[in-house]
Amino acid sequence: PSAIDTSLFYPGGAREAQKEALAETLSLEGKTAVLCGVCDDDSIYTLVEKWAEAFRGDDTLQLLIMEREEQTDELLSLLHSLHLAQSVSLTGPLSREETAVCYQLSCCYISCSQSEEFHFSAWEAAACGTPLLIRQGSGTACIVENKKNGFVWSHESELFDLVRKFARIEGPGKEA
């Protein structure tokens, strides 16, 4: 039996009206969403700092972070100090239905965690057909079939190259 609710998490499961409503709520008009799953260690802060360096001035990408409640204040402070409020946002609490739509709105799903803990949200994203970009050596890396359902990365520069490729394929003015 599957632990994934396949009535919610499957490719193409979200209606256009659902996608449009959540895109409006998350201020995604004209932007390509990149979803970062919940991170149980401090690597989320490093990812945000590196994102600022790599994508400063790029107003076509929106990094959506599924944060843990205890991270919210620190992340908001970091976003403010790095002037990223327009290109990085926290999703806040999402219903299961909204979470499924969020996966389908995103060109890819990032897991930056370095821990051995397994993140169920990566399974859900994969079930929705969202490509996975998972840190090498993390507990979640085991679900990636490299170049089939995603990629395993070891350095942020490698990750950001993959994000750029997926954004070109999935984003506004799609190449593929």
Side-chain angles (χ1 to χ4, degrees):
S2 174
I4 296 174
D5 182 351
T6 54
S7 68
L8 284 176
F9 301 101
Y10 62 94
R15 294 186 315 274
E16 273 311 304
Q18 290 174 302
K19 289 181 184 180
E20 289 171 9
L22 190 58
E24 186 175 326
T25 299
L26 297 173
S27 302
L28 295 177
E29 290 79 25
K31 293 188 175 193
T32 301
V34 176
L35 183 63
C36 182
V38 173
C39 184
D40 53 350
D41 55 33
D42 288 343
S43 56
I44 188 65
Y45 305 107
T46 303
L47 177 77
V48 169
E49 290 169 353
K50 299 283 187 181
W51 183 276
E53 295 170 17
F55 296 105
R56 187 170 310 282
D58 184 343
D59 61 354
T60 64
L61 287 177
Q62 184 74 22
L63 179 63
L64 303 173
I65 300 174
M66 301 170 80
E67 83 280 10
R68 292 188 330 216
E69 188 175 331
E70 61 269 16
Q71 295 172 318
T72 301
D73 291 339
E74 283 183 57
L75 281 169
L76 287 173
S77 176
L78 180 61
L79 296 179
H80 179 74
S81 70
L82 295 173
H83 308 286
L84 291 174
Q86 299 300 312
S87 60
V88 179
S89 52
L90 308 180
T91 64
L94 297 172
S95 70
R96 302 279 297 148
E97 292 80 10
E98 290 171 322
T99 300
V101 175
C102 197
Y103 294 138
Q104 293 183 33
L105 280 174
S106 301
C107 71
C108 55
Y109 170 94
I110 297 171
S111 176
C112 64
S113 178
Q114 296 179 15
S115 78
E116 293 181 8
E117 185 175 317
F118 182 81
H119 295 110
F120 196 70
S121 60
W123 276 113
E124 293 174 338
C128 288
T130 306
L132 305 175
L133 305 177
I134 309 293
R135 185 186 293 272
Q136 184 175 11
S138 70
T140 307
C142 66
I143 69 170
V144 175
E145 292 183 49
N146 214 27
K147 299 181 183 175
K148 290 187 179 183
N149 68 344
F151 295 85
V152 176
W153 57 275
S154 57
H155 190 271
E156 281 81 4
S157 62
E158 182 182 4
L159 168 65
F160 298 148
D161 286 344
L162 290 165
V163 167
R164 286 181 185 96
K165 288 176 184 175
F166 279 109
R168 279 194 304 269
I169 294 169
E170 301 289 331
K174 297 176 184 181
E175 284 186 6

